[in-house]
Amino acid sequence: MSTKEKTEMSNTKQFTELFSELERCNKSEQRKKIGEANEIVDRMDDDEFCSIFEVEIFDKIFQMIEEKKMSMENAILLLKHVGYWNALKRTCVYGFIESSLNEIFEKMIIEESEKKDEKNEKLLADLCECYASLYNDFPPEFSLICLPYLLKIASNKEENEEAQKEVEMALLAISNIEYYAKMQNELYLNRIKEIMKHHQEHHNLTRLAYQSAWQFLIYRFINDKSLEEVITNELHFVGEARRELEELVRNVDLKRREGKTNGKEIKEIATLMRWLATLNVYFKNCRLKNKELVGLFSCIIQVFRASKDNFKEISRNCLFPLISAANNRAVKVDYLLKGDVVDALLEEIQQPTQNYRLTYECMVLSLHISIRLGAENNEKICKAKRKATKRKIFEKMEEDGYEDSMTSLYEMTSYRSFMLRYNQPVKYLSDYFVFP
């Protein structure tokens, strides 16, 4: 097939045709074609990825293994790469879970882990990595088996490219272990702390690897509030998250139109989205007050402003951790005001051409900030801040189209539904919004 023909074919069709050739190849030819297939996976968007990796393709891989048409080594080469993108994008591909391949992997992991002698640790680690990255609803009992092997890989401190890639893949697989998979601190905490502290000193991890380590730890925080001291004060989560977001914003051109990103940017955009999701979980659960939050909020707003024209899904995801922070009494509302949150919301709300979903989330956040400003137990503290914020909003109202924008938004059924759903008195709400 010519280069021109390949370019004109969809990623889905290219992958399907290449995959259909695998069972007719010898081992070395097959390995080469799997490398080509993996390159196609790198270019797939979420819809293409999900359309390809359904139960049938995993059953076909299982059949080829059973019929000796594909070696386990080659199958792992393909599946580790597919699992990598599944875990990175959180695409929720359930084909593996429902397939025969899943059953045989579970059986092999249990049997290999129970061996007393001649245990193939490389095979076991590879199986665990595939299983953890492909299984979005990771069974808790398998986390107890797989986690030690994956942490061992992730603890490799070599800084060559191959070692960094293996560490990245292991940490990404670990990050796919959801919060409901409860485990004792002794199983992971010292090792994950060591990995993070070494990186903070030597910068040996990729950005995705470091984010994945944090995501895994923050998921554990949901069920174990004793981790907050380690997360916030020992590992300095707030400052590290801010630094990582700033690095990503510098490396990703968020002004570029969607659909024109290259492979490296696709990965870094996915890493950015994962950070925002991790911050959302942190703000829902944190209880320690931290002045560094002002800088982190400013950084989130920087991402919001940079992405809202061409990457609206990123900009919407910036608002979710801010909403969680506004709902959390441990987060001072003053931090949100100093972090430039109100100005950014007002800028978006007054746009003459509004994105409904984005504007709605801005209004949700504005309402929560208003509730916090008007809370009775903050009466003395918030009085001056409330007046200052009110003044800012009225100044914005003088600009063309602002009052009309607010009035029309109030008429939206979903916003009224939101007001009814929260069903709580907002003492100073009339100070912040213009109603007809």
Side-chain angles (χ1 to χ4, degrees):
M1 186 185 300
S2 69
T3 303
K4 183 179 178 182
E5 287 175 323
K6 286 184 178 179
T7 303
E8 290 174 351
M9 285 176 62
S10 70
N11 292 323
T12 305
K13 189 172 182 181
Q14 284 187 58
F15 184 91
T16 302
E17 290 194 0
L18 199 55
F19 183 80
S20 67
E21 298 170 4
L22 293 179
E23 62 183 332
R24 298 190 294 273
C25 302
N26 62 39
K27 186 175 180 180
S28 61
E29 290 172 340
Q30 192 177 79
R31 191 174 185 85
K32 182 181 177 183
K33 287 186 181 293
I34 287 172
E36 294 174 20
N38 287 344
E39 289 176 3
I40 298 170
V41 172
D42 293 347
R43 301 194 297 269
M44 288 181 181
D45 61 28
D46 292 0
D47 290 339
E48 289 172 327
F49 188 88
C50 291
S51 70
I52 284 287
F53 295 105
E54 296 184 338
V55 63
E56 291 79 12
I57 198 165
F58 293 107
D59 279 341
K60 182 62 177 177
I61 293 170
F62 170 74
Q63 180 185 342
M64 285 192 283
I65 293 170
E66 288 286 286
E67 295 175 356
K68 310 296 184 186
K69 293 179 180 179
M70 179 181 283
S71 67
M72 181 59 69
E73 181 184 356
N74 281 355
I76 285 171
L77 180 65
L78 175 61
L79 292 167
K80 281 176 72 169
H81 198 78
V82 174
Y84 176 91
W85 282 103
N86 181 58
L88 175 61
K89 294 187 174 186
R90 303 292 290 165
T91 44
C92 295
V93 172
Y94 290 102
F96 174 75
I97 299 172
E98 299 165 359
S99 71
S100 304
L101 190 63
N102 172 37
E103 295 177 13
I104 193 64
F105 268 41
E106 288 184 351
K107 182 172 182 290
M108 289 177 69
I109 287 169
I110 292 170
E111 288 179 352
E112 198 66 39
S113 65
E114 290 178 348
K115 285 182 180 178
K116 301 298 182 183
D117 301 310
E118 298 183 1
K119 186 181 297 185
N120 188 336
E121 296 214 355
K122 175 67 169 66
L123 174 62
L124 183 53
D126 284 340
L127 291 170
C128 287
E129 189 173 303
C130 291
Y131 187 78
S133 59
L134 287 167
Y135 207 132
N136 291 318
D137 298 320
F138 199 105
E141 61 271 21
F142 277 90
S143 67
L144 300 177
I145 300 173
C146 294
L147 188 57
Y149 292 99
L150 295 175
L151 282 172
K152 184 177 180 180
I153 297 170
S155 298
N156 185 352
K157 295 180 174 60
E158 294 178 49
E159 296 186 17
N160 62 73
E161 187 175 344
E162 184 179 350
Q164 282 194 326
K165 184 66 175 179
E166 286 297 319
V167 168
E168 181 182 85
M169 293 180 78
L171 285 170
L172 183 61
I174 287 169
S175 75
N176 215 35
I177 302 175
E178 290 282 10
Y179 67 89
Y180 51 77
K182 297 180 182 179
M183 56 191 72
Q184 296 296 317
N185 287 354
E186 293 78 14
L187 185 62
Y188 68 88
L189 188 55
N190 287 338
R191 187 64 70 89
I192 205 77
K193 280 167 54 178
E194 181 186 348
I195 291 168
M196 288 176 161
K197 287 181 176 181
H198 185 82
H199 171 74
Q200 289 172 4
E201 184 177 349
H202 300 282
H203 304 288
N204 63 304
L205 300 176
T206 66
R207 275 192 283 274
L208 175 58
Y210 191 45
Q211 189 283 327
S212 297
W214 272 117
Q215 182 168 306
F216 169 78
L217 189 57
I218 296 295
Y219 276 161
R220 311 284 76 73
F221 179 37
I222 293 174
N223 295 311
D224 186 356
K225 297 303 183 285
S226 69
L227 291 173
E228 185 164 14
E229 178 65 31
V230 171
I231 289 169
T232 303
N233 293 333
E234 187 176 346
L235 295 173
H236 314 291
F237 173 72
V238 174
E240 292 295 300
R242 176 186 177 180
R243 184 177 60 79
E244 291 296 311
L245 284 179
E246 288 173 343
E247 284 288 321
L248 284 163
V249 171
R250 279 195 289 269
N251 283 277
V252 178
D253 183 5
L254 294 174
K255 298 295 185 182
R256 180 184 295 181
R257 294 186 64 81
E258 283 181 287
K260 295 183 179 181
T261 50
N262 57 40
K264 181 181 177 183
E265 283 187 320
I266 289 171
K267 177 179 170 180
E268 296 208 318
I269 287 169
T271 305
L272 175 58
M273 291 283 278
R274 287 163 60 89
W275 266 115
L276 294 171
T278 302
L279 285 167
N280 189 31
V281 175
Y282 175 76
F283 287 134
K284 283 181 179 179
N285 293 277
C286 67
R287 293 293 178 266
L288 296 176
K289 298 191 186 314
N290 192 325
K291 291 181 180 179
E292 285 187 287
L293 288 176
V294 175
L296 180 54
F297 291 146
S298 295
C299 187
I300 295 172
I301 290 301
Q302 180 188 356
V303 178
F304 172 79
R305 284 177 166 145
S307 60
K308 65 189 180 68
D309 291 334
N310 293 320
F311 290 86
K312 288 184 171 56
E313 200 59 31
I314 294 177
S315 58
R316 283 189 70 237
N317 278 270
C318 288
L319 297 174
F320 299 143
L322 296 175
I323 290 170
S324 295
N327 272 323
N328 188 336
R329 296 286 171 175
V331 178
K332 287 188 176 182
V333 71
D334 190 37
Y335 296 162
L336 290 161
L337 301 182
K338 289 180 178 178
D340 208 19
V341 174
V342 170
D343 282 345
L345 296 178
L346 294 175
E347 288 167 11
E348 179 57 31
I349 289 169
Q350 70 173 343
Q351 292 297 315
T353 304
Q354 294 177 344
N355 175 278
Y356 171 75
R357 295 173 70 195
L358 186 60
T359 305
Y360 176 73
E361 300 299 345
C362 287
M363 294 298 291
V364 171
L365 178 53
S366 298
L367 179 56
H368 286 306
I369 291 174
S370 299
I371 292 170
R372 290 290 306 280
L373 284 170
E376 290 185 15
N377 61 347
N378 281 335
E379 182 70 32
K380 292 181 181 179
I381 298 173
C382 288
K383 188 174 181 180
K385 296 183 181 71
R386 202 165 49 242
K387 286 184 177 180
T389 306
K390 176 180 175 180
R391 191 182 309 113
K392 284 183 181 180
I393 294 176
F394 284 165
E395 287 171 359
K396 291 286 185 183
M397 283 172 53
E398 293 175 0
E399 299 179 19
D400 291 342
Y402 179 74
E403 187 168 352
D404 290 341
S405 173
M406 293 295 289
T407 301
S408 64
L409 196 64
Y410 176 72
E411 291 296 329
M412 291 180 184
T413 303
S414 62
Y415 185 63
R416 285 182 168 178
S417 299
F418 171 80
M419 300 281 285
L420 292 171
R421 178 160 58 90
Y422 277 83
N423 193 29
Q424 52 183 310
V426 184
K427 189 174 180 182
Y428 298 101
L429 190 61
S430 61
D431 284 355
Y432 298 92
F433 301 112
V434 180
F435 294 144

